Amino acid sequence: MASHESTYRPTSNISKWLDARLPVQRMMHGQFVDFPTPRNINYLWTTGGLLTFFLAVQIVTGIVLAMHYMPSAADAFNSVEHIRRNVNYGWLIRNIHAVGASFFFLAVYIHIARGLYYGSYKAPREVLWILGVVIFLLMMATAFMGYSLPWGQMSFWAVTVITNLFSSIDSIIPGLGTRIVQWLWGGYAVSGTTLNRFYALHYLLPFVIVGVVGLHIWALHVVGQNNPTGLDIKSPSDTVPMAPYAVMKDVFALSVFVLLFAWFVFYLPDYLGHPDNYIEANPLSTPPHIVPEWYFLPYYAILRAIPDKLMGVIAMFSSILLLIFVPWLDTSRVRSTKYRPVYKWFFWLFVFTVVALGYLGSKPAEGVYVQWARVFTAYYFIHLLVVLPIVGVMETAKPLPRSIAESVLGSPAAAPKHR
Amino acid sequence: MTTPNRAKIGAASLLLASALAAGSAAWAAGGEPVHIDRQKWSFSGYLGKFDEAQLQRGFKVYVETCARCHGLKRIAFRNLVQPGGPSFPEAAVKSLAGTYKVDAEPNDQGKILKRPAILVDYLPSPYKNEQEARAALNGALPPDLSLIAKARGIESHAPFYLVPKNMLVDIATGYQEGGPDYIYAYLTGFKEPPAGTKVPDGMNYNRAFASPHMTAMPNPFAGGDGFVKYDDATPATVDNYARDVTAFLAWTADPRLEERKRLGLLVTIYLLITAVLLYLAKRRIWAKAH
């Protein structure tokens, strides 16, 4: 794939002149127009485009909101209300940004699950996968800090609970955890100072994400896309040019996803939020149940499942950091779970586990909820640390098709000429 | 193009998963569950609109009952004139504003005197600050009501296996009226406590309030039917007071609701047509490849 040459032919004098000096059009043409994409990729492969779209939407709406938002403990909540009530289409921009964060995560979870199912992390895509985990972590940090900005009750108390986790380090080095927490807060409690720094970082991190997304796409275009068979591209008949084939499919999938997104923006803008966040932050009044946004619930359940605070924090962070090692934890020689009769059951059990943890994370940390959270937390780690290595060695894969083209068209000879 | 069925199921279950987590996150309070009935509201659903006359009646109920203790600080007099709300005639709101006194700009002696309110002023709150309210009300703090309809919700007590179905129904119908449903239940929830329940001094029994159902707020409609006079033919009953003031508070919490739903319908129709056209284009293009 790396050897793929752009078929770009400059036609006008200006484009010839530019092509000899900065061949940016040649590069774009090669990477996004005639780039060879596997002809069998399904709709799950449209999530990358969706994510790029949502990153752009979040940045554009975020910049507009920043023009009206005031990051101070006294003004933050009021300025959000000002945006909702008085700014022209402020309610729309704000709904798009708030609901957009949720849909960004919805798309990224589908994207990650697709990668896990089709073995898209396996050689030679390890770096691509690790960059993805880095983006995921950056997204989580950005979303967490963004959620603090409306300065409602849930904003305030979520920041208090999550930043306080670092104080658990006190149980290893007494005093260190407390110092870290004070350093994060910029004081002895969550305050306007904390809000100011979170705002600064919330504005910065999306541009870091843009940079890492650039590397992610670069790495993707070096090794090429995986596909539902998990087979490598062997001949031109295995591929179609990105434009118009993959592009058209991406645009259609985008329109459907945006339709669902618009439904939430216009008709269910508060469905994914929490009523308490319409109450201005009050350090003297703790809400009865502090819950994070839905996309953090599985990790929150893992945190609370473990009785020891420090171990809970370690388990929560390692549940995500472990994903970095998945390319080496999975010992199977077959990429796609489609051809792995034993592993596919474990895969769906893993998906169910994450969903169940999400449900349990929304419930009070007591009684039967904690017990089930422990069971599913255990399986989360068993899946990554035990099932992935062992099943890969023991399982006999189903016979693979000889090529991508054969899997789609029956025989490679039947591949129509399209260039 | 063979799309594996399992991949489809995978995507669907992931969607469901995230939606499930989201719905169930929507708040849980301590104590025994309180069941709150859902009401019919003119502003619910994707074609919902406020009923102007109802908002006008609700404003009257607010002024004559709630406003004694509760502020409405995010609403300016001009908002009462704007379309998509109670839409009172401008002259009526101007003369109403004139009956309220607000702080004037400092005069040339630096003194802050009072002046009659004008359209751009916000509704004055009954108490200057939290301390004054608590001192006057036996230590209780009546919340500002501007956002109360968004700041309250109703809990779902459905068993976990019904959660996905309930969520899909709420998503499909665009259910966002948990706050108004709760407020209506609360306003009509002042009942005789069950036998054996001790109600402490200064507290009131309300069956909609979270367990143990004790609230500092007394029944605002203790005066019974007829104590707020309606200017239209609507029966002046406690049930209507509760409904009308709840609808009014739904508007104060979301004054752009009508604009939002109107634009939402156009956007949805536009995107539906676009999606169909894009699908046809996609099929035509891929027909050459497979």
Side-chain angles (χ1 to χ4, degrees):
Chain A
M1 302 295 291
S3 59
H4 159 73
E5 289 292 331
S6 176
T7 57
Y8 177 65
R9 297 278 171 275
T11 43
S12 70
N13 282 336
I14 294 175
S15 52
K16 281 176 189 153
W17 181 86
L18 185 65
D19 194 49
R21 287 156 180 83
L22 180 68
V24 63
Q25 280 179 293
R26 177 175 299 277
M27 191 269 280
M28 294 305 281
H29 188 91
Q31 297 304 317
F32 300 103
V33 178
D34 61 11
F35 187 77
T37 55
R39 67 187 316 143
N40 60 336
I41 49 176
N42 60 36
Y43 277 104
L44 292 172
W45 266 265
T46 61
T47 48
L50 280 182
L51 286 161
T52 315
F53 172 80
F54 272 96
L55 179 59
V57 166
Q58 290 302 88
I59 289 178
V60 170
T61 52
I63 289 172
V64 177
L65 288 173
M67 294 172 187
H68 301 278
Y69 171 78
M70 287 180 275
S72 81
D75 297 325
F77 190 88
N78 292 335
S79 66
V80 172
E81 279 309 305
H82 168 69
I83 291 167
R84 286 187 64 225
R85 288 160 193 271
N86 299 327
V87 174
N88 290 335
Y89 292 102
W91 58 270
L92 178 58
I93 306 282
R94 178 255 186 192
N95 285 358
I96 290 175
H97 198 73
V99 178
S102 278
F103 274 71
F104 204 164
F105 274 94
L106 178 60
V108 91
Y109 282 129
I110 299 172
H111 195 69
I112 293 170
R114 182 262 274 159
L116 286 172
Y117 186 85
Y118 293 111
S120 301
Y121 45 82
K122 285 177 166 294
R125 297 187 179 85
E126 303 95 320
V127 172
L128 174 62
W129 172 262
I130 292 169
L131 286 168
V133 178
V134 171
I135 295 168
F136 183 47
L137 285 166
L138 286 168
M139 274 176 70
M140 294 176 103
T142 310
F144 170 67
M145 288 190 259
Y147 189 60
S148 74
L149 303 183
W151 212 236
Q153 274 288 66
M154 265 315 150
S155 301
F156 182 90
W157 289 99
V159 170
T160 305
V161 169
I162 300 302
T163 49
N164 244 322
L165 294 179
F166 289 95
S167 68
S168 60
I169 298 170
D170 278 348
S171 62
I172 318 175
I173 305 172
L176 180 65
T178 309
R179 287 302 294 273
I180 291 175
V181 173
Q182 288 170 1
W183 176 74
L184 289 171
W185 286 346
Y188 298 103
V190 175
S191 68
T193 316
T194 323
L195 176 63
N196 278 157
R197 59 189 54 191
F198 277 20
Y199 178 59
L201 293 171
H202 183 71
Y203 206 120
L204 168 71
L205 286 185
F207 298 98
V208 179
I209 294 178
V210 170
V212 186
V213 166
L215 295 177
H216 191 65
I217 295 174
W218 184 3
L220 174 71
H221 281 235
V222 170
V223 296
Q225 285 158 294
N226 189 23
N227 64 84
T229 62
L231 297 175
D232 289 324
I233 292 170
K234 287 167 193 149
S235 72
S237 65
D238 287 342
T239 67
V240 288
M242 183 161 169
Y245 295 96
V247 170
M248 194 58 228
K249 204 162 167 173
D250 276 356
V251 172
F252 167 60
L254 179 69
S255 73
V256 173
F257 200 74
V258 168
L259 185 61
L260 182 67
F261 175 58
W263 187 258
F264 275 76
V265 165
F266 289 102
Y267 296 119
L268 295 154
D270 298 311
Y271 184 80
L272 299 162
H274 196 293
D276 271 11
N277 229 26
Y278 278 105
I279 303 172
E280 195 167 356
N282 181 354
L284 300 176
S285 150
T286 316
H289 289 291
I290 301 169
V291 284
E293 290 281 85
W294 68 267
Y295 39 81
F296 291 141
L297 288 172
Y299 317 104
Y300 194 55
I302 291 175
L303 170 75
R304 298 188 309 174
I306 304 206
D308 180 75
K309 187 176 173 188
L310 179 67
M311 291 311 290
V313 173
I314 291 172
M316 181 178 76
F317 283 110
S318 50
S319 68
I320 300 159
L321 293 176
L322 261 183
L323 293 175
I324 290 174
F325 302 101
V326 162
W328 297 278
L329 286 167
D330 183 359
T331 51
S332 170
R333 290 167 65 191
V334 174
R335 284 200 192 104
S336 176
T337 305
K338 212 174 149 182
Y339 306 106
R340 300 184 59 187
V342 180
Y343 177 71
K344 76 176 175 205
W345 293 102
F346 288 102
F347 173 84
W348 289 113
L349 184 57
F350 185 67
V351 170
F352 182 78
T353 296
V354 175
V355 175
L357 283 170
Y359 173 75
L360 294 165
S362 76
K363 291 290 171 188
E366 58 198 28
V368 70
Y369 296 130
V370 174
Q371 281 159 21
W372 278 110
R374 286 183 185 149
V375 170
F376 287 115
T377 299
Y379 183 70
Y380 186 100
F381 288 101
I382 290 170
H383 180 88
L384 294 179
L385 294 172
V386 181
V387 171
L388 265 183
I390 292 184
V391 173
V393 175
M394 303 189 42
E395 176 183 54
T396 313
K398 285 199 255 183
L400 299 176
R402 268 177 301 169
S403 71
I404 294 170
E406 190 197 82
S407 79
V408 184
L409 307 163
S411 82
K417 297 278 176 285
H418 53 76
R419 288 204 202 176
Chain B
M1 178 81 210
T2 53
T3 307
N5 272 335
R6 276 183 204 90
K8 278 184 197 159
I9 298 166
S13 68
L14 221 102
L15 262 160
L16 191 72
S18 2
L20 187 141
S24 52
W27 148 307
E32 8 171 325
V34 182
H35 179 77
I36 307 280
D37 285 327
R38 292 186 180 188
Q39 306 295 324
K40 278 201 159 64
W41 301 105
S42 69
F43 49 85
S44 69
Y46 37 87
L47 298 170
K49 279 189 166 65
F50 287 116
D51 172 353
E52 254 177 46
Q54 184 178 41
L55 297 193
Q56 295 188 1
R57 292 194 301 273
F59 177 65
K60 194 162 196 283
V61 175
Y62 164 76
V63 169
E64 293 182 23
T65 23
C66 323
R68 265 179 263 153
C69 301
H70 294 277
L72 209 52
K73 65 179 179 186
R74 298 182 197 282
I75 295 298
F77 289 100
R78 64 181 165 83
N79 296 135
L80 297 170
V81 181
Q82 283 166 358
S87 311
F88 284 110
E90 188 170 325
V93 176
K94 269 184 177 160
S95 63
L96 174 78
T99 65
Y100 288 82
K101 296 282 178 277
V102 295
D103 285 347
E105 291 295 298
N107 66 10
D108 48 12
Q109 307 298 312
K111 294 265 190 302
I112 295 173
L113 303 173
K114 292 283 181 186
R115 62 162 173 82
I118 55 171
L119 283 181
V120 297
D121 286 314
Y122 285 82
L123 298 190
S125 295
Y127 301 104
K128 281 203 270 306
N129 47 50
E130 179 180 339
Q131 287 76 3
E132 194 187 66
R134 286 195 192 275
L137 294 167
N138 210 8
L141 177 67
D144 186 271
L145 296 183
S146 312
L147 273 170
I148 202 77
K150 291 257 178 213
R152 295 291 182 272
I154 55 178
E155 309 163 44
S156 161
H157 303 294
F160 70 91
Y161 51 86
L162 284 181
V163 170
K165 187 211 102 192
N166 292 350
M167 278 178 27
L168 289 177
V169 171
D170 285 351
I171 290 173
T173 55
Y175 176 71
Q176 286 274 272
E177 288 76 38
D181 287 343
Y182 172 78
I183 293 169
Y184 171 80
Y186 177 80
L187 290 175
T188 55
F190 293 91
K191 302 281 176 191
E192 280 304 308
T197 308
K198 274 224 166 102
V199 181
D201 272 358
M203 296 301 273
N204 302 278
Y205 179 83
N206 188 309
R207 67 169 178 204
F209 201 68
S211 178
H213 313 296
M214 299 298 162
T215 173
M217 178 170 138
N219 183 357
F221 305 135
D225 293 352
F227 86 100
V228 177
K229 299 274 178 280
Y230 275 170
D231 302 325
D232 57 14
T234 311
T237 60
V238 166
D239 188 71
N240 278 338
Y241 298 155
R243 267 177 216 286
D244 294 348
V245 82
T246 301
F248 173 70
L249 293 174
W251 169 75
T252 64
D254 199 356
R256 303 296 191 139
L257 178 143
E258 287 195 5
E259 188 184 354
R260 170 162 65 79
K261 294 193 173 183
R262 200 166 44 232
L263 187 58
L265 194 64
L266 297 176
V267 169
T268 306
I269 292 169
Y270 172 84
L271 284 173
L272 267 175
I273 295 170
T274 307
V276 169
L277 292 177
L278 288 172
Y279 176 70
L280 294 175
K282 185 251 155 197
R283 238 177 48 158
R284 180 128 186 204
I285 285 169
W286 278 84
K288 289 180 230 153
H290 286 180

